[in-house]
Amino acid sequence: MRPASSSGARRRTACYQRRVHERFVEVAVPVPLAQLFTYRLPPDVTAAPGTRVRVPFGPRKLVGVVFGEASPDSAFDPRKIKPIERVLEDEPLLGEPELALVRWLCDYWFAPPGEAVALLLPPRMAEGAEGPPPRTRLLVSRPAASENRPSPPPESAPASPRAAPLGAKMGAVLAWLDAEARDGAVDADLVRQATGATLDTLRRLAERGLIQLEHERRLRDPLAAADLAALRSPDLALPRLTPAQHAAVAAVAAALGRYQGFLLHGVTGSGKTEVYLALIEAVLARGEGTIVLVPEIALTPQLAARFRARLGDKVAVQHSGLEPLARQEQWVRIRRGELPVVVGARSAIFAPMPALGLIVVDEEHDPSFKQETSPRYHARDLALVRGHQAGVPVVCGSATPSLESWANVTRHKLALLSLPERAHLDRPLPEVELIDMRAAPAADPHRLFSRPLVAALEATLSLREQAILFINRRGYASSVQCHTCGEPLACSACSVAYTWHRQRARLICHYCDETRPFPARCPKCGAADLAEVGTGTEHVEETLAELLPHARIGRMDKDTTRGNALLRLLGQFRKRELDVLVGTQMVAKGHDFPGVTLVGVLAAEQGLAFPDFRAAERTFQLLTQIAGRAGRAERPGRVLMQTHLPDHYAIRHACRHDVLGFLDTESELRLARAFPPASHLALFRVGGPELGPVRDTARALCDGLERAIAQQGTRVSVTPPQPAPIERIKDRWRYQVLVRSPTRKELRAALEATRAAWEARPSGRLQIALDVDPIQFL
């Protein structure tokens, strides 16, 4: 062996000395790679974990977050390490509890740390922005009375600016202020609107000392524009808790200060929100805060309005639909401890609560708690993890618990709290009647409505009561088909038919938003024989208007609830400006409308046809939840369910409000079929613009998994590659590989053994995405 040269030894010594004196940190950079990156700290600069830094990444400059010090090994060459360009703050924005939560998320769901850590910050701050700029308004007032009109100057003295003649606009401003604003300052915009004055007019008056101008800082309140009174439930504060509510509050209150997971199972209308409020008040009394998760942005304003009515201005709102500056300002105020109650959708689980005391997950069964894009995570599960890490109780509430949460009760991982009756004991659960559409007489040519349902609607409206009609499909017709060749009009970029939206006069793909007008002839055969097939909320609304021409009808779906339209619609219905509300599953979730005594369900079996082992569970949950909207005030409720499958167990259990019976039946079926919660799943999705490479990549991935499992000798199984139920979306072909295991440990071992293969970026535009504990399979 040739001895090392003296020059080589000197280089190694220099490298070692450089490593000793230089400092390096690991940074999470916002790229889809499951690793941290090492950077050099500039001399005399510190960057503690949780600090944002600007770093070079290839040709780009990105904002990352420091995760900790780097520990280079003996082969480490500091000359190849790029320096941090800038440290963006003196003190870290994120603490160790937040970073620990992200580390857990990355480890469990195999998420890229740079994408995961971005969840902890508002988008503007994740991109490097400083704190939100202050928002101010200009106020106008008259000076004190003694200063209002100065004494006229002597004849020999020059005229002062205050004594100069006033123009018409100036005089109008002073007259208006003297008449309308004697009690204090008013908004300058109001003054300008009332008098026609300009800002320059107001400034010249201020220079003369005739008015005073001052800037007042205004907070960005996401609920400021909402009609809070219209959104609040009439039962803002029950006179006293029921025995069941009191027992639930006492059980959780006894656990404050330590971790304990609870499943609060209460029938619809049982007062779960009142339990949450009582617990939040107990937590606030301890000087601590609460995070409350709701499944959808649409529910946030309503719950926040009720919380604000009870708790005052301590309530913050956090979700991705907020205006960026408002979201950032709320985040900063939460971090300072100014807003100790946070209400929001799944991203609110990352709120920077400085003294967390409780986490609540309302409607814990809802699938929207799972984020379907990278970084994938389930907010309910992450809430339990954060509660465990922080040492605080977590309450998961639902009228229809998920099978996973119910299994955690039987495994003693969650303590069960029950609210078996409605909060007002004189308000029983509504009676449910099944209408077999195979034999029921139809009230319209399209057979959307049965005669019994129309009769019930007429009776309800005659009593000046309200009704909800539920059909879980928006648009007018679910597809358009040629009667000559049988071909449906399909999206050019997706393997789905267009949905016909008659009010917009457009065919729309609900997966890629591609639109086109209704053609005069079939694009395939040229026949002028196109027909609408299926139905949606638009068709139901139109047909109902024909059947009940005097009814005031509203529609609640994705098309009618954009922006503030949702709040306006909810306010109209709550104020009884509408008689009937037609809607998709949006009407089933968490709403409390005192005037509703009738709920009609069209096509109750609709969700059972989905290619998903949870189809029966979701159908049962939706039907039970929508039935619970009826009879929540003084008058009893009634539910009519139209269906072609009246004997299906999910529909039968929903008609009886039999949650426990459904859970027992479905649990046995899942066990027999080895589906969660009796097993654990991971789903690989392979996508790309060409079918052949996608199929080949999925096959190679499956082969690698099978080899690793054979070597490990575990009980993990792999389903051969299959096209996704929707094979093409946005011009990308899609294949799936399902991995199933009886234990999490064995599943993880199989995924880790093949990690290098599926984590490597495939050539070209192919993508491999891993979804641990998948919720959606389309």
Side-chain angles (χ1 to χ4, degrees):
M1 180 181 294
R2 187 172 61 182
S5 66
S6 58
S7 62
R10 285 195 298 272
R11 284 196 299 271
R12 288 193 297 273
T13 301
C15 285
Y16 174 76
Q17 292 173 342
R18 189 177 292 115
R19 287 201 301 269
V20 170
H21 296 291
E22 292 182 322
R23 292 171 302 148
F24 304 91
V25 291
E26 290 184 327
V27 178
V29 180
V31 294
L33 299 173
Q35 65 181 91
L36 299 170
F37 294 87
T38 301
Y39 286 89
R40 180 193 301 117
L41 277 173
D44 303 321
V45 172
T46 61
T51 304
R52 295 178 304 160
V53 292
R54 193 176 299 279
V55 298
F57 193 86
R60 297 179 291 170
K61 310 295 183 186
L62 300 178
V63 174
V65 173
V66 174
F67 257 55
E69 292 188 7
S71 302
D73 56 26
S74 58
F76 176 76
D77 186 351
R79 294 171 299 180
K80 297 181 179 179
I81 304 302
K82 294 181 180 181
I84 287 175
E85 290 195 352
R86 184 185 169 202
V87 178
L88 299 186
E89 52 256 347
D90 296 330
E91 298 292 332
L93 278 180
L94 305 174
E96 179 54 34
E98 290 92 342
L99 296 179
L101 186 66
V102 163
R103 291 190 189 99
W104 194 96
L105 185 157
C106 293
D107 181 66
Y108 184 82
W109 281 289
F110 293 87
E115 293 182 346
V117 78
L119 296 168
L120 298 174
L121 294 167
R124 293 184 76 254
M125 301 186 78
E127 296 167 1
E130 303 296 331
R135 181 189 182 196
T136 62
R137 67 170 177 169
L138 185 63
L139 298 179
V140 183
S141 62
R142 290 282 260 159
S146 60
E147 303 175 3
N148 198 26
R149 291 179 176 82
S151 301
E155 292 184 5
S156 59
S160 70
R162 295 179 70 165
L166 299 177
K169 291 286 179 69
M170 290 185 175
V173 169
L174 296 181
W176 189 89
L177 289 173
D178 289 339
E180 304 292 338
R182 295 181 178 180
D183 296 332
V186 294
D187 195 306
D189 289 341
L190 182 61
V191 177
R192 293 171 59 195
Q193 183 180 4
T195 64
T198 64
L199 281 177
D200 183 64
T201 303
L202 298 181
R203 292 192 187 100
R204 285 188 283 124
L205 283 170
E207 289 171 357
R208 299 186 184 199
L210 297 176
I211 65 171
Q212 293 177 338
L213 298 178
E214 60 178 326
H215 288 276
E216 177 188 69
R217 181 164 184 174
R218 301 175 64 189
L219 296 174
R220 296 176 175 89
D221 185 356
L223 291 175
D227 183 357
L228 299 186
L231 294 177
R232 293 170 186 160
S233 166
D235 296 330
L236 289 181
L238 295 174
R240 56 182 174 274
L241 296 176
T242 67
Q245 287 174 319
H246 180 78
V249 171
V252 180
L256 293 178
R258 60 181 174 85
Y259 170 71
Q260 173 66 62
F262 295 91
L263 175 62
L264 177 61
H265 172 219
V267 300
T268 54
S270 59
K272 292 183 287 295
T273 302
E274 188 63 29
V275 171
Y276 303 154
L277 284 165
L279 289 170
I280 292 170
E281 288 174 329
V283 170
L284 289 173
R286 293 166 54 95
E288 297 170 340
T290 302
I291 295 174
V292 181
L293 302 183
V294 294
E296 289 191 4
I297 293 173
L299 292 179
T300 304
Q302 302 166 79
L303 198 61
R306 182 166 181 182
F307 280 22
R308 183 166 289 186
R310 179 80 159 261
L311 306 172
D313 293 334
K314 300 174 183 178
V315 180
V317 174
Q318 283 285 284
H319 57 71
S320 60
L322 293 180
E323 187 271 327
L325 284 173
R327 186 177 180 184
Q328 183 177 2
E329 184 171 280
Q330 292 261 301
W331 187 92
V332 170
R333 295 185 65 202
I334 294 167
R335 185 170 178 265
R336 290 175 183 163
E338 298 174 12
L339 299 171
V341 180
V342 177
V343 180
R346 60 176 176 260
S347 60
I349 189 57
F350 302 104
M353 189 71 69
L356 184 62
L358 174 70
I359 302 175
V360 172
V361 185
D362 192 29
E363 310 290 355
E364 64 82 24
H365 65 277
D366 199 284
S368 63
F369 279 126
K370 177 68 181 288
Q371 176 153 305
E372 295 297 334
T373 57
S374 183
R376 293 170 178 82
Y377 68 92
H378 199 299
R380 177 201 61 211
D381 299 346
L382 207 57
L384 293 167
V385 172
R386 183 169 185 181
H388 187 271
Q389 291 180 343
V392 302
V394 180
V395 179
C396 300
S398 177
T400 54
S402 65
L403 262 77
E404 286 79 6
S405 292
W406 192 250
N408 280 332
V409 169
T410 62
R411 296 165 184 166
H412 305 292
K413 293 182 178 181
L414 295 177
L416 179 63
L417 307 172
S418 295
L419 303 178
E421 297 177 318
R422 286 191 158 180
H424 292 277
L425 300 182
D426 57 343
R427 303 179 190 174
L429 289 170
E431 295 182 0
V432 182
E433 178 184 343
L434 272 182
I435 300 176
D436 188 345
M437 294 300 288
R438 297 171 299 182
D444 64 280
H446 309 287
R447 297 190 61 82
L448 296 182
F449 290 88
S450 64
R451 289 181 185 171
L453 178 55
V454 172
L457 286 165
E458 291 173 337
T460 299
L461 270 56
S462 70
L463 295 172
R464 297 190 177 183
E465 297 170 355
Q466 293 174 293
I468 289 176
L469 292 179
F470 169 69
I471 181 167
N472 203 22
R473 183 171 288 156
R474 63 189 176 102
Y476 190 89
S478 53
S479 65
V480 173
Q481 187 176 33
C482 176
H483 275 182
T484 300
C485 69
E487 193 73 12
L489 297 188
C491 174
S492 63
C494 306
S495 302
V496 294
Y498 286 115
T499 299
W500 171 232
H501 290 250
R502 180 178 284 188
Q503 291 188 2
R504 295 172 60 184
R506 304 294 292 179
L507 292 162
I508 302 175
C509 173
H510 288 174
Y511 288 87
C512 73
D513 293 328
E514 179 180 284
T515 70
R516 60 170 294 177
F518 198 113
R521 295 181 175 274
C522 173
K524 183 176 181 181
C525 72
D529 197 13
L530 297 174
E532 299 162 351
V533 179
T535 191
T537 49
E538 284 185 25
H539 195 185
V540 171
E541 179 186 24
E542 178 184 277
T543 305
L544 183 61
E546 295 170 355
L547 294 169
L548 303 175
H550 301 297
R552 298 170 299 172
I553 305 168
R555 177 161 56 88
M556 185 176 179
D557 56 30
K558 187 177 180 180
D559 299 322
T560 63
T561 55
R562 303 180 193 277
N564 291 325
L566 170 65
L567 300 183
R568 289 195 298 270
L569 180 62
L570 292 173
Q572 285 180 298
F573 196 57
R574 190 174 297 282
K575 294 174 185 176
R576 303 200 181 193
E577 295 172 1
L578 298 172
D579 301 313
V580 183
L581 187 60
V582 177
T584 60
Q585 61 179 343
M586 295 178 71
V587 302
K589 298 180 178 182
H591 302 292
D592 189 359
F593 299 120
V596 173
T597 58
L598 175 67
V599 166
V601 178
L602 285 69
E605 73 282 356
Q606 191 174 52
L608 296 172
F610 273 76
D612 188 332
F613 69 87
R614 292 189 178 93
E617 179 183 7
R618 289 177 183 163
T619 297
F620 170 80
Q621 290 167 344
L622 264 177
L623 295 179
T624 303
Q625 293 281 346
I626 190 63
R629 300 313 104 197
R632 297 171 74 97
E634 292 79 13
R635 296 181 179 178
R638 184 185 179 196
V639 180
L640 274 66
M641 288 189 186
Q642 297 184 167
T643 179
H644 287 84
L645 295 175
D647 295 323
H648 193 281
Y649 68 95
I651 295 174
R652 283 291 181 187
H653 283 298
C655 287
R656 296 193 294 265
H657 305 284
D658 185 8
V659 175
L660 300 184
F662 173 80
L663 290 170
D664 288 343
T665 300
E666 185 70 8
S667 296
E668 292 176 2
L669 291 173
R670 298 279 183 90
L671 180 63
R673 299 167 183 171
F675 277 119
S679 67
H680 304 278
L681 302 180
L683 183 68
F684 286 97
R685 297 183 176 94
V686 183
E690 298 179 10
L691 176 58
V694 169
R695 184 175 52 224
D696 294 344
T697 301
R699 179 71 263 173
L701 175 62
C702 180
D703 292 342
L705 286 164
E706 289 175 338
R707 285 194 298 271
I709 292 166
Q711 292 173 359
Q712 294 171 345
T714 59
R715 297 169 292 171
V716 179
S717 63
V718 182
T719 302
Q722 300 289 335
I726 301 177
E727 191 173 9
R728 193 167 56 98
I729 294 179
K730 297 181 180 179
D731 276 324
R732 294 182 64 83
W733 295 91
R734 307 164 69 243
Y735 259 66
Q736 297 180 347
V737 177
L738 184 65
V739 187
R740 186 188 332 231
S741 172
T743 66
R744 293 191 188 277
K745 181 178 180 180
E746 291 173 289
L747 177 64
R748 183 172 187 83
L751 298 177
E752 287 282 8
T754 56
R755 187 168 191 163
W758 54 260
E759 228 172 36
R761 298 176 72 100
S763 59
R765 294 168 60 193
L766 279 172
Q767 289 183 339
I768 299 176
L770 171 62
D771 189 357
V772 177
D773 300 336
I775 294 294
Q776 300 289 349
F777 292 85
L778 292 181

